Amino acid sequence: MSDFNQFVPEYIRRLAGYTPGNSVRQALEESRVNCIKLASNENPFGPSPRAVQAMQAVLADSNFYPDNDAMELRQKLADHHNVQPEQIVPTAGSTALLGIVARTLLAPGLNAITSERSFIVYPIATQAAGGRLIQVPMRHDGFDLEALAAAIDQNTRVIYISNPNNPTGTLVSAEEMDRFLDRVPAHVIVILDEAYYDFAQYFAAIRRVDYSHALDYVNQGRKVVVLRTFSKAHGLAGVRVGYGIGPAELMTYFARMRTTFSVSTVAQAAALAALGDEAHTRMALKNNAEQSTWLMQRLIEMGYHPVQTWANFIYCELGDEHREQYG
């Protein structure tokens, strides 16, 4: 048998892949019990009917390659966010862009920083690029920005901040982020992962909190890249379309690192249509806010201590005794 270790770098051999939860169909087949899937924070309302129609309309063109630069989608997003199209890079989900960020900016000897108990793709992307990930302890189940700033050294190139954080659902306010960015040195790029932006913004309006200045940072020319996705509030997780917004020069490098034709024709059509159906998105956001409040109260009544969420999931420590009781 051939020894392939000689071909594969050690940091790749140590890489642990991402393990997603089972699909509803798989869970049903294994358990023979009707299941509701909660593990992946998907939108239970599904895509906008307009998005479904748009996808159906382009299926007959599946023999043609998609627009590699997704020009129509980039222009629509640029108009939506009041930035320039060259500041936007669409990818097959924002997770794909995380891999691109790491491969572009990191290498052996360089490091990235994030918090413990944050998005599982950050360590995968960093290690796959040969970089080292520094994970600082949390504070009150959220990002400790003081600890992040203190961990920066001359080899740091990237800081990942999931806001709201996945999986704890906690928020870094705009005021806190403003102060943190003022402390970040010029050799570091901050990735603001706002996959759950729509939910957080809805909660922020209700709770009268200033949530995100992320696009202001981009327009100010800061070394910040903002990640957004159509997977969550827009219900398009299955077609894989996300995007980054950042400095035009940097986004050009990221664009070169994409897999060719990575955002399918179906995904581009769906995203364009979803942007135009604000009523469908508002319905999902309103329902999420109402039901999360109800579920939080029920958990508290049962004696648990759930963390206040700013996303479409609730983080709650159950302890080992509950694992034994419920399997």
Side-chain angles (χ1 to χ4, degrees):
M1 181 179 292
S2 299
D3 181 5
F4 289 102
N5 286 351
Q6 63 182 307
F7 299 103
V8 181
E10 191 270 340
Y11 62 84
I12 296 295
R13 296 199 302 271
R14 290 189 293 106
L15 187 64
Y18 176 73
T19 304
N22 285 348
S23 68
V24 174
R25 181 179 301 175
Q26 288 173 315
L28 177 59
E29 290 175 352
E30 293 176 5
S31 67
R32 301 299 176 184
V33 174
N34 287 331
C35 299
I36 299 173
K37 185 181 178 185
L38 300 176
S40 299
N41 310 333
E42 293 149 327
N43 187 332
F45 294 103
S48 156
R50 296 187 194 178
V52 173
Q53 292 172 2
M55 288 188 280
Q56 292 170 337
V58 299
L59 286 175
D61 294 329
S62 295
N63 54 311
F64 298 111
Y65 288 110
D67 175 4
N68 186 54
D69 294 320
M71 287 302 300
E72 186 178 1
L73 178 57
R74 287 172 63 204
Q75 185 62 61
K76 186 76 173 283
L77 288 168
D79 294 341
H80 183 72
H81 294 302
N82 194 29
V83 297
Q84 298 302 311
E86 55 267 26
Q87 294 179 279
I88 294 178
V89 173
T91 53
S94 57
T95 51
L97 189 50
L98 286 168
I100 290 170
V101 167
R103 295 196 308 274
T104 306
L105 301 176
L106 297 173
L110 301 178
N111 69 65
I113 303 172
T114 192
S115 173
E116 65 180 6
R117 280 190 288 158
S118 195
F119 191 31
I120 187 59
V121 173
Y122 302 154
I124 294 173
T126 300
Q127 188 173 335
R132 180 171 69 95
L133 185 68
I134 299 170
Q135 293 176 288
V136 304
M138 283 196 148
R139 183 169 59 88
H140 305 308
D141 296 303
F143 272 76
D144 185 341
L145 299 185
E146 292 291 324
L148 286 183
I152 298 171
D153 62 25
Q154 69 273 17
N155 295 318
T156 303
R157 293 295 178 270
V158 175
I159 296 176
Y160 304 108
I161 300 179
S162 175
N163 194 32
N165 184 48
N166 177 9
T168 62
T170 50
L171 192 83
V172 175
S173 72
E175 182 181 359
E176 292 171 313
M177 192 69 74
D178 289 347
R179 292 197 300 267
F180 171 74
L181 288 177
D182 287 339
R183 298 182 58 185
V184 175
H187 67 275
V188 177
I189 294 172
V190 177
I191 308 300
L192 295 183
D193 186 351
E194 295 186 342
Y196 300 92
Y197 170 85
D198 303 273
F199 299 104
Q201 188 61 35
Y202 192 91
F203 278 124
I206 296 172
R207 297 168 183 169
R208 298 183 180 181
V209 171
D210 190 6
Y211 157 46
S212 176
H213 294 168
L215 295 181
D216 293 336
Y217 305 144
V218 172
N219 288 325
Q220 292 163 6
R222 300 248 198 160
K223 292 178 180 176
V224 169
V225 177
V226 184
L227 306 189
R228 301 277 176 88
T229 183
F230 286 90
S231 294
K232 306 303 180 183
H234 297 288
L236 292 173
V239 297
R240 312 307 300 129
V241 55
Y243 57 100
I245 312 170
E249 180 182 359
L250 180 61
M251 303 310 284
T252 299
Y253 290 119
F254 291 161
R256 296 176 191 174
M257 296 290 286
R258 287 180 307 157
T259 300
T260 305
F261 305 123
S262 57
V263 183
S264 72
T265 300
V266 172
Q268 293 182 39
L272 282 164
L275 278 173
D277 194 349
E278 294 182 3
H280 181 80
T281 305
R282 282 198 306 272
M283 178 265 294
L285 301 180
K286 180 175 184 293
N287 179 271
N288 177 73
E290 292 171 351
Q291 297 305 316
S292 65
T293 301
W294 181 90
L295 183 55
M296 287 277 292
Q297 186 58 42
R298 300 293 83 76
L299 288 168
I300 291 170
E301 290 172 0
M302 293 170 67
Y304 299 121
H305 303 281
V307 177
Q308 183 186 53
T309 186
W310 295 82
N312 66 336
F313 54 86
I314 293 174
Y315 181 85
C316 184
E317 292 277 2
L318 300 180
D320 291 339
E321 68 274 12
H322 298 89
R323 180 181 302 175
E324 294 172 4
Q325 181 177 356
Y326 299 109

